[in-house]
Amino acid sequence: MTADIRDSYDVIVIGAGPAGSTCAGLLSMHGHDVLLLEKETFPRHHIGESLMTETYWVFERLGMLDKLRKSSYVRKHSVQFFSKSGKGSRPFYFFEGNDHESASTWQLPRDEFDTIMFNHVAELGVQTCEGINVRDVLMEGDAVTGVSIDTPNGAKDIRAKVVVDGSGLNAFLSRKFKLQQFDPNLKKAAIYGHFKGAHRDADVDEGATLIVNTPDQKGWFWYIPLDNDIVSVGCVADKEFLFPNGESRDLADAFNRSVTHCEPIQMRLKDATLRGPMRSCSDFSYISNKIAGDGYVLIGDAFGFLDPVYSSGIFLALKSAEMAADTIHQAFETDDFSGHKLSSFSDEYMVGMNALRNLVYCFYAPGFRFSSFLKEHPQFKTHLIDLLTGNIYRDGILDIFDAMGDTVDLPEPYNVES
């Protein structure tokens, strides 16, 4: 495969998850010569299986919607929150106020979905290569000018006008350039698995994402129905909650201990069987202090990772990739590949990411409940649904945080160099 890789391209994209594939596909549609490199081989495991509905528009632009419509993926129409008492809120239905097809979305098995995305952008003209390790980037002064990859015959250097880092949580360039800054208030971990035969709600609620608090609010569970009678269930909490002193550090033991703290999850899993291994991941929310530099751009989790409570990961991956692709295309039109030019979408993108981070802080704030907030401020119901769907770039959406800020200590916005 490496024999087919040429010595130079317009753009090289590192990582073929949703962010990397989207950016590569859109750049190819803009007419650019793109190489997409993936370290692993598809299908490969990945977490982050629930979509926000606003991903619809990027999928439409990529020509992916027909593949999604024809799939067996479970349709998602709402999200529902369960308080520490175990009582469920009224579901937040995305179709309330939106009668367009985009008011529903899909719950995705990522091993399959990422493979489909990878193959789809190849159809768009991207040169796709999997099983390729990027060992380093090439530099001229402070500018990135390409990558060096491992081949059976040793290292191979490939040049490009722009290198896009879509390497996900590996955060290849952010780590190399020491750009990461972590959020000390969102230092969590997750243990999760796939279960067959778990309870599913009926009709329009069958595909709802459930967010279930433990009684002491020291942790919460996601509950995401997938196709083939599989449900993805994970517990997110401080490591001290998941692995108390003296308790077993076996993942299955730790997950089962967490379930005993949460009756709604116990009831839903009582007839279920675990399929596959239990897995874990660190959920250290972070951001890079710049989104681009001379000759390179960071997208998706390679730029920043936000707590998964609102399933914003794929949405932010697609949105950052779309904005980056359009900005890179403009850079080619002006022959300007400076960090100043390539980061010109930063301010716009960060409006949305900071809004979702504010919402995460509200979720973790002791005593805060969205139902109580809406009883006091019913005028913000549409704002909240828009935030939960990813409609975070519309005019006036940030007004809700003026009211939330009266009861929640919201964070200072992330400061990203542009």
Side-chain angles (χ1 to χ4, degrees):
M1 179 181 292
T2 55
D4 297 330
I5 298 177
R6 304 192 310 275
D7 292 335
S8 67
Y9 294 81
D10 291 343
V11 182
I12 297 170
V13 181
I14 305 170
S21 289
T22 295
C23 190
L26 292 175
L27 282 166
S28 185
M29 294 172 75
H30 276 304
H32 300 292
D33 185 19
V34 184
L35 175 66
L36 175 61
L37 301 173
E38 168 59 36
K39 182 177 182 179
E40 300 184 55
T41 56
F42 290 101
R44 46 77 170 135
H45 169 78
H46 208 287
I47 196 59
E49 300 145 321
S50 189
L51 294 179
M52 284 182 153
T53 60
E54 285 294 296
T55 55
Y56 177 95
W57 306 106
V58 181
F59 288 137
E60 180 183 55
R61 188 172 170 186
L62 280 170
M64 271 285 295
L65 283 178
D66 280 346
K67 289 183 172 70
L68 290 169
R69 292 183 186 116
K70 293 174 183 177
S71 74
S72 61
Y73 300 151
V74 174
R75 295 302 292 254
K76 172 185 173 183
H77 301 278
S78 65
V79 61
Q80 185 178 18
F81 296 89
F82 286 73
S83 68
K84 63 181 182 179
S85 69
K87 182 181 179 182
S89 69
R90 181 180 180 276
F92 289 90
Y93 291 111
F94 308 139
F95 50 73
E96 293 183 343
N98 180 10
D99 58 3
H100 188 267
E101 181 189 16
S102 61
S104 69
T105 189
W106 293 270
Q107 310 282 29
L108 304 167
R110 286 288 300 278
D111 55 349
E112 180 181 322
F113 170 72
D114 287 9
T115 305
I116 292 172
M117 283 279 288
F118 184 71
N119 293 333
H120 179 76
V121 299
E123 296 171 8
L124 297 177
V126 176
Q127 183 175 347
T128 56
C129 297
E130 52 189 320
I132 301 295
N133 179 57
V134 177
R135 56 189 298 161
D136 206 351
V137 289
L138 308 178
M139 305 284 296
E140 291 182 5
D142 292 331
V144 171
T145 58
V147 302
S148 178
I149 65 171
D150 288 323
T151 78
N153 299 318
K156 177 181 176 67
D157 292 347
I158 316 165
R159 302 286 173 174
K161 293 289 188 181
V162 181
V163 172
V164 178
D165 186 3
S167 63
L169 295 177
N170 290 327
F172 183 74
L173 287 181
S174 188
R175 293 178 191 271
K176 177 180 176 63
F177 296 141
K178 296 180 172 55
L179 303 176
Q180 283 183 315
Q181 47 185 328
F182 292 90
D183 190 326
N185 296 316
L186 298 177
K187 193 176 180 181
K188 309 290 181 182
I191 300 174
Y192 61 93
H194 285 167
F195 293 83
K196 190 172 184 65
H199 174 78
R200 303 164 87 98
D201 291 330
D203 302 325
V204 72
D205 297 322
E206 179 189 1
T209 292
L210 308 183
I211 303 298
V212 185
N213 270 297
T214 59
D216 51 15
Q217 286 191 292
K218 291 185 177 179
W220 61 271
F221 286 83
W222 74 68
Y223 197 91
I224 299 172
L226 302 173
D227 57 353
N228 297 317
D229 195 29
I230 296 295
V231 177
S232 173
V233 188
C235 182
V236 179
D238 294 337
K239 288 185 178 180
E240 293 74 17
F241 175 82
L242 297 172
F243 302 106
N245 290 333
E247 298 287 353
S248 168
R249 297 188 70 83
D250 178 82
L251 293 181
D253 288 346
F255 181 84
N256 291 333
R257 279 197 305 270
S258 302
V259 170
T260 64
H261 290 272
C262 192
E263 185 176 351
I265 297 296
Q266 275 186 299
M267 297 298 296
R268 288 174 177 271
L269 292 182
K270 66 178 182 178
D271 297 320
T273 55
L274 178 66
R275 291 298 175 94
M278 295 299 301
R279 301 177 185 269
S280 66
C281 62
S282 294
D283 171 26
F284 297 120
S285 294
Y286 64 85
I287 198 165
S288 303
N289 56 34
K290 59 196 301 186
I291 205 165
D294 294 348
Y296 72 90
V297 182
L298 312 179
I299 58 174
D301 290 347
F303 166 66
F305 178 74
L306 194 59
D307 188 281
V309 63
Y310 300 114
S311 302
S312 61
I314 296 180
F315 169 76
L316 291 173
L318 268 57
K319 197 65 183 178
S320 63
E322 179 183 38
M323 290 182 177
D326 291 343
T327 300
I328 292 167
H329 175 60
Q330 293 166 9
F332 274 96
E333 291 188 320
T334 58
D335 196 31
D336 179 1
F337 304 102
S338 66
H340 177 73
K341 175 62 179 179
L342 293 175
S343 65
S344 59
F345 70 98
S346 173
D347 289 348
E348 180 184 4
Y349 176 67
M350 288 309 301
V351 167
M353 192 167 190
N354 279 317
L356 289 171
R357 182 167 171 248
N358 281 346
L359 207 62
V360 169
Y361 267 67
C362 290
F363 175 81
Y364 283 112
F368 181 86
R369 293 181 61 189
F370 289 114
S371 57
S372 300
F373 173 80
L374 290 179
K375 283 181 181 178
E376 186 174 351
H377 303 282
Q379 71 273 25
F380 289 123
K381 181 180 179 180
T382 300
H383 291 66
L384 183 56
I385 291 176
D386 282 344
L387 288 166
L388 294 173
T389 62
N391 188 17
I392 53 180
Y393 293 99
R394 73 165 177 83
D395 291 341
I397 189 67
L398 302 183
D399 294 347
I400 189 174
F401 295 117
D402 292 335
M404 285 183 172
D406 293 337
T407 56
V408 176
D409 188 14
L410 297 176
E412 289 295 318
Y414 276 136
N415 182 25
V416 176
E417 182 182 328
S418 61

